[in-house]
Amino acid sequence: MLESYVTPILMSYVNRYIKNLKPSDLQLSLWGGDVVLSKLELKLDVLEQELKLPFTFLSGHIHELRIHVPWTKLGSEPVVITINTMECILKLKDGMQDDHESCGSNSTNCSTAENTKSSVKPRRIQQVAPTDPDLPPGYVQSLIRRVVNNVNIVINNLILKYVEDDIVLSVNITSAECYTVSELWDRAFMDISATDLVLRKVINFSDCTVCLDKRNASGKIEFYQDPLLYKCSFRTRLHFTYDNLNSKMPAVIKIHTLVESLKLSITDQQLPMFIRIMQLGIALYYGEIGNVKDGETEDSTCHNKDMLGNITGVEDETIIDMPYSAQYKGQELYSQQEDEQPQGWVSWAWSFVPAIVNYDDGEEDYLGNDPMSTMHQQKSQTLKDPIVSIGFYCTKATVTFKLTEMQAESSYYSPQKVTSKEVLCWEQEGTTVEALMMGEPFFDCQIGFVGCRAMCLKGIMGVKDFEETMNRSETEACFFICGENLSMKGFTYLTNSLFDYRSPENNGTRAEFILDAAHHKETYTEIAGMQRFGAFYMDYLYTVENNSGRGSANQQDFPLGKSEDLGIVEEKSTKTLVIGPLDFRLDSSAVHRILKMIVCALEHEYEPYSRLKPDIKDEKEIILNLEEVASLEDYIPTRHTSITLLKCTCTIFMAEFNLLDHLLPVIMGEKSSSNFMNTTNFQSLRPLPSVRILVDKINLEHSVPMYAERLVHTVSSLTQPSDDLLHYCYAHCYLKIFGFQAGLTSLDCRGSYCLPVPIVPSFSTALYGKLLKLPTCWTKRSQIAVTEGIFELPNLTIQATRAQTLLLQAIYQSWSHIGNISSSAVNEALMNEVFQTVGVKSKNPLPTLEGSIQNVELKYCSTSLVKCASGTVGSIKICAKAPGDSGKEKLIPLLQGPSDTKDLHSSKWLNEIRKPESLLAPDLIAFTVQVPQHMDYCHNSGAVLLCGVQGLAVNIDPVLYTWLIYQPQKRTSRHMQQQPVVAGTLVMPPSRRREDEASVGSAPLAKQQSCQASEYASSPIKTKTVTESRPLSAPMKAMLSVTEGRRSPEERMKEFVGAVWNAVKRLTLQLEVQSCCVFIPNDSLPSPSTIVSGDIPGTVRSWYHGQTSMPGTLVLCLPQIKIMSAGHKYMEPLQEIPFVIPRPILEEGDAFPWTISLHHFSIYTLFGKQVTLCLVDPMGCTSTLAVTSQKLLTTAPDARHSFVVCLHVDLESLEIKCSNPQLFIGLSLPIPWKTSSP
């Protein structure tokens, strides 16, 4: 009879998870064809044991269970299992003390736990299958397989709840149905055959609703929030590929889910709870929850065996362990405590594979087969892990952020209700999440989406900027755009999925998977990822490989034998993130909404799931022999992350309203100011100036050792660790920016931008930094660098007119002057001057200042004893571009460094041959500074400053005055007025009023009426009015703070002198500054085209010899300066840091006396026709500065010093000559105080 074979299998599944069932009653009901069971309790301990998650079930019950078995058509109709109303409530285990109870704290507990685990396994119903000559075993096995493969499961009203702290997360699915389908994914009665070794299933989920609410201390929910997800339906396709008919485990498993529309809603009260749930998922992934506790090495072995047993489907049998080479022995030493890889997560997910494919280790017993042969067959089949592909696909997803407020009903006794208002919306198209794994040694996850955008909705903080009555366009509301449109991109996000009609599974062929790390990286490149998605692409790859180069090494594929036969096992983890072309618009509406979300996320703080362990060195020293150290150096596992941004555009608009004083204090950790919700009208400002930043590419790379704690403990215990081992004890970070440029643009009332005005031409830069892991383990090695950073800037150029800088200043002030209620708009003349009409020439074009800095290299380093920095600046040049007489632009050099100024103190250089500036000229600035970390270390080594500055040439041209004194006309545009956002004004201080009048005005910044109290509270004059109802101590403290703030200039000077003395009393100083030559002509000196552009002395010399009408020029040659502290010998200014000076200063004051030398100071004048007149002949001086200090005897806590200063000066002869032409030049110079403003 078929009943005798099918009934035990169905009864075993039911009896496994349901309490208090009578097998006899269940058996009789099954033979009748229909079973109806009501009010069933689930076996919670069995669920916890099989899930292996750090959760405990508070309750679990089934309202009704129906089983329909069509005995007469068992080979053509499916068995239907229907569950009506299933509810389970979970919570996190208390204190995580039960994380590994199955293993215990020693081997004895481990074995006990294994016995306990075997005891909770489902009790098999002792029933011997009768022998029936009409039903051969092969037929029975085939029929049982057909029945199991076609079981339909229907769940109506599935309720899952998770509670933690004040969080209640509930998932309600109205209907879920799983059934078998055909090749076209239509419902059918199917089975695997020799020609088609494939089984397909579909799971349909209808009306899935997810709620996230907050409960009070008594566990009740006072106010229900809007659902996170409301009535969302999705479908899942399952595809199983077998190697042969006798395979118990599929060779390939594909589980793909598609959601057409996903609409999420998050309120401000739900946001902290939602972030908490996300943190829970991350903690589960990285094993921060449910990991082995410290010191439980025996438990680790037990847990690993239990984990591997679940992967292979074998329990209580001999487990094949992965052998390790001598190289990996060192990795084992520090790989047990930090399980930061996805091993725990993958193992947990892997344990569900038998359950997914309806596999049970006891089915063969019911068929009467030989247990030994079954075990042998099972082992041989599970030695090879199946390939599992899990995918989630969403056509369109929307996340809406809402702000809630309490609103009472009309009746006094009516309860309050929570109303919400949408303020922010995130839309995303073509989302893909795919995971591919084969055993634990290979795991790959890819995430991507085609396009996304963020939009502003309704109003924010009382400002109705996007209400429906505003009639603002969708383009204005959208402040973030990335990627492409799904209608233009196509359905590339479904490539090779079960929902792609072009996939191999939908065309009758077997899919091929890339399971080799090298081949994977060659195939899934950044270009390939962006071609498929376009907006965002992430690839996370984790592999364990051997050095034979065979690819991924599976644990079950390793042969048994000595570890030397295996070779070096390489564990790798790489993350690659690519973000496609994006456009980010930061206006007032977007900034306030983003910061409001951050404030809401910070409103509630939860205890972290994993606390950082104190950096205490392990008492058990790890001792490695030379062979183990050498093998450890061959390969150390690291985790590498790469983030790339392509074609990034960021536009920062002038603030139309500014309420940041209510948001920034909360983000900075301070208390928030008083609440306010006065609704105000809003009118956009057009044209709206902005700063646009374009970046071609940003690349960030980060690498960190996988098992940092064990690695550092191992390497720090070595006597002389190699540089390679020390390199891997750091976390490294590389930042590279390519094609960074910035400019000014403006948004008009039609929503279009004017042509951008370049301010910063394209340049590239790089930054490198590294941080020592567990620095407390290196306290005995003071020379080891704790942090180190290197900055490189090949070239940076900034160019702007005075009008452009005033507009930049206005944009900055609109964001920085919080609380300013000025309603003045940007000057129309200023806007017209900055954004000139194409093809229209300006009547009075403004000069442009252009400054460039080249070859900047800075380095920072800190050890446990000192902090030091060094660097070089190659050159600095500043020039002005002004309109010429013939319409051509003339170039006027203003600053040049380095410049050869050694001979410029005398006018003889004008008549000598001057060599052009060489490209191999020394750097303009070279410096090294080193200061002690702690004051107690000052007795061993003081601070050191070494600095060298090459010569500078400065040309104070009249065009510079023209650039500085520019002021736009006091005339505003009719189209640029904005309605004030407040009713009422405050009296502005005269200084602020003058500042606003002088600056072109800033954008109107909103200030709510109810905020005036806080404005007055910060003023000493209004303190009495505001604090009348407060205790008397409050105003007294305010008055005391005011009096303390009004210190006399003498007190401030004493504090300044004390600070300077503390800085220089143990300072080893070496300063060498070459001469700086300043040229002050009474007319412009454009650079001729015959000389190198920007060479100021060459320009002056060319005008001196070649031009008949050379303007009168005053030449001021500043002296060459050299300062050396006592006993110090000259060193190169640029040193490798950290460094040790030959003679450190041990006592305070030993750095003195300082030797100060000044040479080659002179002043002379140049006239036309090669006339030179000297005003001050070259001169210099040598001086000695000595300072001694003694503490004053005083009872004050801040004891001060008395100083004795001795200055000895040897001055060379001073000769001053003056003539009428020189006086005339002095009077004709266009100095600022003589020039009247227009």
Side-chain angles (χ1 to χ4, degrees):
M1 296 291 291
L2 289 176
E3 291 86 347
S4 60
Y5 294 97
V6 177
T7 300
I9 297 177
L10 295 177
M11 292 171 63
S12 67
Y13 278 103
V14 175
N15 191 51
R16 176 185 297 182
Y17 300 108
I18 297 178
K19 291 182 180 179
N20 304 326
L21 281 181
K22 293 182 180 180
S24 58
D25 297 341
L26 180 61
Q27 183 175 356
L28 292 175
S29 301
L30 279 174
W31 286 357
D34 289 285
V35 177
V36 179
L37 304 174
S38 301
K39 297 181 180 180
L40 304 176
E41 295 291 332
L42 297 175
K43 292 182 180 180
L44 304 180
D45 53 347
V46 177
L47 291 175
E48 293 180 13
Q49 191 71 26
E50 292 194 358
L51 289 177
K52 294 181 181 62
L53 283 177
F55 299 110
T56 180
F57 283 84
L58 298 179
S59 66
H61 62 271
I62 296 176
H63 180 70
E64 184 182 70
L65 172 64
R66 292 178 175 268
I67 302 177
H68 172 70
V69 183
W71 294 113
T72 59
K73 299 179 180 180
L74 201 57
S76 59
E77 291 186 6
V79 175
V80 181
I81 301 175
T82 304
I83 299 175
N84 295 321
T85 308
M86 177 179 177
E87 182 175 1
C88 295
I89 302 178
L90 302 89
K91 78 180 189 75
L92 205 60
K93 288 185 178 179
D94 296 333
M96 254 57 87
Q97 73 272 15
D98 298 329
D99 292 343
H100 292 271
E101 287 182 348
S102 59
C103 290
S105 59
N106 50 45
S107 58
T108 304
N109 291 337
C110 180
S111 60
T112 304
E114 290 179 354
N115 296 333
T116 305
K117 179 176 179 179
S118 61
S119 65
V120 300
K121 289 182 60 179
R123 296 189 299 270
R124 300 176 182 176
I125 302 174
Q126 300 298 328
Q127 179 176 350
V128 180
T131 56
D132 191 340
D134 296 332
L135 298 175
Y139 171 75
V140 174
Q141 185 175 0
S142 174
L143 182 60
I144 295 299
R145 185 179 64 240
R146 286 174 61 86
V147 171
V148 172
N149 289 341
N150 288 274
V151 171
N152 286 8
I153 301 176
V154 180
I155 302 178
N156 297 318
N157 194 18
L158 174 62
I159 302 173
L160 300 175
K161 290 185 179 180
Y162 171 75
V163 293
E164 177 191 348
D165 292 334
D166 59 346
I167 301 175
V168 179
L169 175 66
S170 61
V171 180
N172 189 350
I173 300 177
T174 303
S175 175
E177 183 180 7
C178 176
Y179 53 89
T180 307
V181 294
S182 62
E183 296 180 356
L184 300 178
W185 301 97
D186 296 327
R187 188 190 296 265
F189 194 91
M190 304 294 296
D191 193 14
I192 61 175
S193 61
T195 57
D196 188 13
L197 298 171
V198 173
L199 181 65
R200 301 174 181 86
K201 287 181 177 291
V202 167
I203 305 177
N204 289 330
F205 297 90
S206 301
D207 295 344
C208 176
T209 300
V210 181
C211 298
L212 187 60
D213 299 294
K214 181 178 291 188
R215 61 177 182 171
N216 55 21
S218 61
K220 295 182 179 180
I221 300 175
E222 297 179 353
F223 308 103
Y224 286 93
Q225 303 289 327
D226 293 343
L228 284 179
L229 183 65
Y230 184 67
K231 290 188 176 181
C232 176
S233 299
F234 50 94
R235 61 184 187 273
T236 301
R237 291 181 176 179
L238 297 88
H239 190 280
F240 307 102
T241 304
Y242 295 84
D243 287 333
N244 51 67
L245 289 174
N246 298 322
S247 299
K248 299 300 299 179
M249 181 76 70
V252 180
I253 303 172
K254 268 195 170 185
I255 306 173
H256 291 175
T257 301
L258 176 63
V259 183
E260 295 292 344
S261 178
L262 186 68
K263 297 181 179 180
L264 296 175
S265 170
I266 302 178
T267 64
D268 51 353
Q269 297 184 19
Q270 290 174 331
L271 185 59
M273 298 186 288
F274 181 78
I275 295 175
R276 178 67 169 180
I277 298 299
M278 298 294 291
Q279 292 174 349
L280 174 63
I282 296 174
L284 285 174
Y285 176 79
Y286 282 106
E288 297 173 356
I289 297 179
N291 256 5
V292 182
K293 300 179 181 66
D294 297 340
E296 295 183 354
T297 56
E298 297 290 340
D299 294 358
S300 177
T301 307
C302 173
H303 175 69
N304 291 334
K305 287 186 178 182
D306 177 65
M307 180 174 58
L308 186 57
N310 282 278
I311 295 172
T312 59
V314 181
E315 296 187 11
D316 301 331
E317 298 292 342
T318 305
I319 305 301
I320 301 176
D321 291 331
M322 179 190 293
Y324 293 95
S325 63
Q327 178 270 346
Y328 210 72
K329 180 179 179 182
Q331 299 179 18
E332 271 191 300
L333 295 175
Y334 55 83
S335 64
Q336 293 178 359
Q337 273 194 354
E338 278 196 20
D339 188 11
E340 298 175 337
Q341 291 307 305
Q343 295 175 359
W345 182 85
V346 173
S347 301
W348 169 78
W350 207 255
S351 63
F352 287 97
V353 171
I356 291 174
V357 298
N358 299 320
Y359 171 71
D360 181 63
D361 58 353
E363 288 183 19
E364 294 292 343
D365 294 346
Y366 301 122
L367 301 178
N369 290 354
D370 183 13
M372 295 303 295
S373 61
T374 303
M375 184 188 307
H376 178 74
Q377 183 182 10
Q378 181 178 343
K379 277 188 179 182
S380 62
Q381 290 171 354
T382 55
L383 285 177
K384 184 178 180 181
D385 287 324
I387 299 173
V388 179
S389 172
I390 301 175
F392 174 81
Y393 308 91
C394 180
T395 305
K396 185 174 182 179
T398 303
V399 182
T400 305
F401 179 67
K402 302 178 180 179
L403 295 179
T404 59
E405 58 182 2
M406 306 301 298
Q407 190 172 27
E409 294 293 325
S410 56
S411 174
Y412 177 78
Y413 297 101
S414 299
Q416 287 185 327
K417 289 187 177 180
V418 178
T419 60
S420 59
K421 180 177 64 174
E422 301 175 349
V423 296
L424 191 63
C425 178
W426 174 276
E427 295 180 355
Q428 190 168 299
E429 292 184 325
T431 305
T432 297
V433 181
E434 294 177 338
L436 178 65
M437 48 188 163
M438 189 184 71
E440 292 188 29
F442 184 89
F443 176 80
D444 176 65
C445 179
Q446 295 186 14
I447 301 176
F449 50 85
V450 174
C452 65
R453 65 174 185 170
M455 302 176 61
C456 298
L457 302 176
K458 301 297 179 66
I460 183 72
M461 301 178 68
V463 180
K464 295 183 177 181
D465 50 350
F466 282 97
E467 293 288 349
E468 296 177 357
T469 56
M470 295 298 298
N471 296 324
R472 302 187 70 178
S473 64
E474 185 176 328
T475 306
E476 292 179 300
C478 183
F479 64 89
F480 180 84
I481 301 176
C482 183
E484 305 177 36
N485 197 330
L486 189 61
S487 58
M488 301 178 61
K489 186 72 173 179
F491 294 93
T492 55
Y493 70 100
L494 294 175
T495 302
N496 289 332
S497 70
L498 296 179
F499 300 94
D500 182 13
Y501 68 93
R502 299 166 298 181
S503 64
E505 291 83 0
N506 291 331
N507 289 275
T509 60
R510 189 163 179 170
E512 297 181 358
F513 299 92
I514 299 176
L515 302 174
D516 176 69
H519 191 194
H520 180 92
K521 293 179 180 178
E522 292 176 359
T523 306
Y524 298 103
T525 60
E526 296 181 358
I527 299 176
M530 296 310 295
Q531 286 177 350
R532 179 183 177 185
F533 298 105
F536 174 81
Y537 170 69
M538 188 202 80
D539 181 23
Y540 169 52
L541 178 64
Y542 169 77
T543 58
V544 178
E545 299 179 350
N546 55 25
N547 62 350
S548 60
R550 295 183 302 170
S552 297
N554 201 349
Q555 287 187 2
Q556 290 83 1
D557 294 337
F558 290 157
L560 294 176
K562 296 183 180 180
S563 60
E564 288 78 2
D565 300 335
L566 177 64
I568 299 176
V569 177
E570 298 182 356
E571 190 175 3
K572 299 178 181 179
S573 173
T574 58
K575 300 185 189 72
T576 303
L577 291 87
V578 186
I579 302 175
L582 61 90
D583 188 2
F584 197 13
R585 295 163 32 117
L586 288 176
D587 54 6
S588 295
S589 301
V591 169
H592 285 78
R593 282 167 170 80
I594 295 173
L595 294 182
K596 184 62 177 179
M597 286 188 62
I598 298 175
V599 169
C600 294
L602 298 176
E603 282 184 354
H604 190 90
E605 294 183 0
Y606 295 93
E607 289 293 329
Y609 287 111
S610 63
R611 296 184 178 274
L612 294 177
K613 301 177 183 178
D615 297 343
I616 301 176
K617 191 168 183 179
D618 204 348
E619 295 180 0
K620 299 179 181 180
E621 294 289 343
I622 302 173
I623 302 177
L624 302 179
N625 55 39
L626 296 178
E627 181 183 356
E628 292 172 342
V629 173
S631 60
L632 184 62
E633 291 180 352
D634 291 339
Y635 184 80
I636 296 178
T638 59
R639 183 182 298 110
H640 184 266
T641 303
S642 175
I643 303 175
T644 304
L645 275 74
L646 302 174
K647 298 293 181 182
C648 176
T649 302
C650 181
T651 307
I652 304 174
F653 292 88
M654 174 179 284
E656 297 176 274
F657 60 92
N658 191 344
L659 304 175
L660 299 182
D661 53 337
H662 297 273
L663 300 174
L664 293 180
V666 181
I667 298 176
M668 302 303 295
E670 304 173 4
K671 293 183 178 180
S672 59
S673 56
S674 58
N675 294 328
F676 64 99
M677 276 299 164
N678 286 349
T679 306
T680 57
N681 296 325
F682 172 83
Q683 184 177 354
S684 58
L685 173 67
R686 294 295 182 272
L688 186 63
S690 60
V691 178
R692 174 172 293 182
I693 299 173
L694 303 176
V695 183
D696 289 340
K697 183 179 179 181
I698 300 177
N699 181 252
L700 175 64
E701 295 185 2
H702 180 266
S703 63
V704 65
M706 283 188 184
Y707 312 104
E709 184 175 351
R710 287 297 183 182
L711 176 64
V712 171
H713 286 164
T714 303
V715 177
S716 62
S717 63
L718 300 178
T719 306
Q720 291 182 347
S722 64
D723 293 339
D724 291 340
L725 288 179
L726 288 177
H727 175 82
Y728 286 102
C729 292
Y730 288 86
H732 302 267
C733 184
Y734 302 83
L735 175 63
K736 300 176 183 178
I737 301 176
F738 302 94
F740 183 99
Q741 53 184 320
L744 284 169
T745 185
S746 177
L747 179 66
D748 59 19
C749 56
R750 298 184 301 273
S752 58
Y753 294 90
C754 66
L755 291 177
V757 179
I759 299 295
V760 180
S762 179
F763 74 95
S764 301
T765 183
L767 178 66
Y768 165 77
K770 68 178 184 179
L771 175 65
L772 183 66
K773 307 295 290 186
L774 278 71
T776 54
C777 295
W778 306 88
T779 52
K780 297 181 181 179
R781 301 172 184 263
S782 59
Q783 75 280 5
I784 298 294
V786 178
T787 58
E788 185 175 322
I790 299 176
F791 173 73
E792 294 182 358
L793 180 64
N795 184 19
L796 172 62
T797 302
I798 300 176
Q799 57 185 15
T801 64
R802 180 58 177 165
Q804 294 169 2
T805 59
L806 291 176
L807 187 57
L808 288 172
Q809 181 183 357
I811 296 175
Y812 169 76
Q813 288 179 351
S814 69
W815 291 103
S816 62
H817 288 178
I818 297 175
N820 185 6
I821 62 168
S822 172
S823 60
S824 59
V826 180
N827 192 284
E828 180 188 10
L830 179 64
M831 295 290 291
N832 294 336
E833 191 64 48
V834 174
F835 306 106
Q836 297 181 1
T837 308
V838 180
V840 179
K841 293 185 178 180
S842 176
K843 296 180 179 180
N844 298 313
L846 300 178
T848 302
L849 241 59
E850 180 180 300
S852 65
I853 182 171
Q854 296 179 349
N855 300 329
V856 178
E857 296 183 5
L858 304 176
K859 184 178 180 180
Y860 172 81
C861 178
S862 68
T863 66
S864 59
L865 299 180
V866 296
K867 293 186 293 185
C868 42
S870 65
T872 59
V873 179
S875 64
I876 297 178
K877 292 184 179 180
I878 300 177
C879 62
K881 296 179 180 178
D885 298 336
S886 58
K888 294 184 179 181
E889 191 177 60
K890 60 182 181 180
L891 182 67
I892 304 172
L894 302 178
L895 176 66
Q896 176 197 356
S899 178
D900 187 6
T901 59
K902 294 180 180 179
D903 301 328
L904 299 187
H905 58 278
S906 173
S907 59
K908 296 180 181 179
W909 66 277
L910 293 168
N911 299 319
E912 296 176 354
I913 299 176
R914 179 176 174 83
K915 297 180 181 180
E917 296 294 335
S918 173
L919 296 177
L920 302 178
D923 295 320
L924 174 63
I925 301 174
F927 72 93
T928 302
V929 59
Q930 180 171 293
V931 296
Q933 285 272 17
H934 310 287
M935 292 304 297
D936 54 355
Y937 182 65
C938 293
H939 297 285
N940 299 326
S941 176
V944 181
L945 174 60
L946 310 176
C947 182
V949 182
Q950 299 299 317
L952 279 173
V954 181
N955 176 25
I956 305 180
D957 198 89
V959 71
L960 181 62
Y961 304 141
T962 306
W963 189 91
L964 290 173
I965 64 176
Y966 167 81
Q967 285 294 335
Q969 300 178 2
K970 305 296 182 182
R971 184 167 53 94
T972 56
S973 171
R974 297 186 304 271
H975 307 286
M976 300 173 63
Q977 295 293 338
Q978 178 186 12
Q979 180 177 349
V981 204
V982 292
T985 57
L986 299 178
V987 179
M988 297 178 59
S991 59
R992 173 65 61 84
R993 190 182 305 139
R994 285 196 302 268
E995 181 182 354
D996 287 342
E997 290 175 357
S999 66
V1000 309
S1002 59
L1005 310 178
K1007 186 71 177 179
Q1008 303 298 333
Q1009 182 72 21
S1010 59
C1011 296
Q1012 294 183 9
S1014 60
E1015 281 281 321
Y1016 292 141
S1018 62
S1019 173
I1021 304 175
K1022 298 292 182 179
T1023 301
K1024 182 178 178 181
T1025 305
V1026 176
T1027 59
E1028 272 184 336
S1029 59
R1030 299 181 182 178
L1032 294 177
S1033 58
M1036 290 297 296
K1037 289 181 180 179
M1039 294 177 63
L1040 287 175
S1041 62
V1042 171
T1043 14
E1044 290 177 0
R1046 296 176 179 175
R1047 293 172 301 172
S1048 63
E1050 183 181 357
E1051 291 292 327
R1052 291 198 294 267
M1053 179 57 68
K1054 289 181 179 179
E1055 288 188 4
F1056 175 74
V1057 171
V1060 172
W1061 172 248
N1062 290 330
V1064 302
K1065 60 186 178 182
R1066 292 190 184 93
L1067 175 65
T1068 300
L1069 179 63
Q1070 174 186 307
L1071 177 63
E1072 188 173 8
V1073 181
Q1074 298 297 328
S1075 177
C1076 174
C1077 191
V1078 182
F1079 299 90
I1080 310 177
N1082 59 8
D1083 199 358
S1084 292
L1085 286 177
S1087 179
S1089 57
T1090 55
I1091 67 169
V1092 179
S1093 176
D1095 184 11
I1096 295 178
T1099 299
V1100 174
R1101 187 174 182 276
S1102 174
W1103 277 83
Y1104 182 79
H1105 287 283
Q1107 304 293 337
T1108 55
S1109 59
M1110 177 183 178
T1113 304
L1114 177 65
V1115 182
L1116 174 63
C1117 190
L1118 299 180
Q1120 176 184 351
I1121 304 173
K1122 187 175 182 181
I1123 304 177
M1124 299 280 286
S1125 57
H1128 175 69
K1129 294 184 179 180
Y1130 179 80
M1131 301 174 61
E1132 289 294 329
L1134 189 63
Q1135 297 286 330
E1136 286 292 332
I1137 54 176
F1139 67 101
V1140 179
I1141 59 175
R1143 185 179 179 274
I1145 298 174
L1146 304 180
E1147 300 293 336
E1148 67 176 53
D1150 287 354
F1152 292 93
W1154 286 358
T1155 303
I1156 305 174
S1157 301
L1158 305 177
H1159 295 289
H1160 305 313
F1161 172 76
S1162 64
I1163 303 176
Y1164 54 92
T1165 54
L1166 302 178
F1167 299 93
K1169 300 180 181 180
Q1170 303 182 7
V1171 177
T1172 304
L1173 297 178
C1174 184
L1175 187 62
V1176 178
D1177 287 338
M1179 59 159 296
C1181 68
T1182 303
S1183 59
T1184 303
L1185 174 65
V1187 181
T1188 57
S1189 171
Q1190 184 178 3
K1191 286 187 177 180
L1192 297 175
L1193 298 177
T1194 176
T1195 57
D1198 50 344
R1200 292 178 176 159
H1201 294 72
S1202 63
F1203 298 96
V1204 177
V1205 181
C1206 178
L1207 178 62
H1208 176 77
V1209 180
D1210 291 333
L1211 184 64
E1212 298 179 1
S1213 59
L1214 174 61
E1215 298 183 9
I1216 301 177
K1217 306 174 183 177
C1218 187
S1219 61
N1220 289 333
Q1222 293 173 329
L1223 290 176
F1224 178 76
I1225 288 181
L1227 295 175
S1228 63
L1229 293 178
I1231 50 181
W1233 54 84
K1234 292 175 51 180
T1235 307
S1236 58
S1237 301

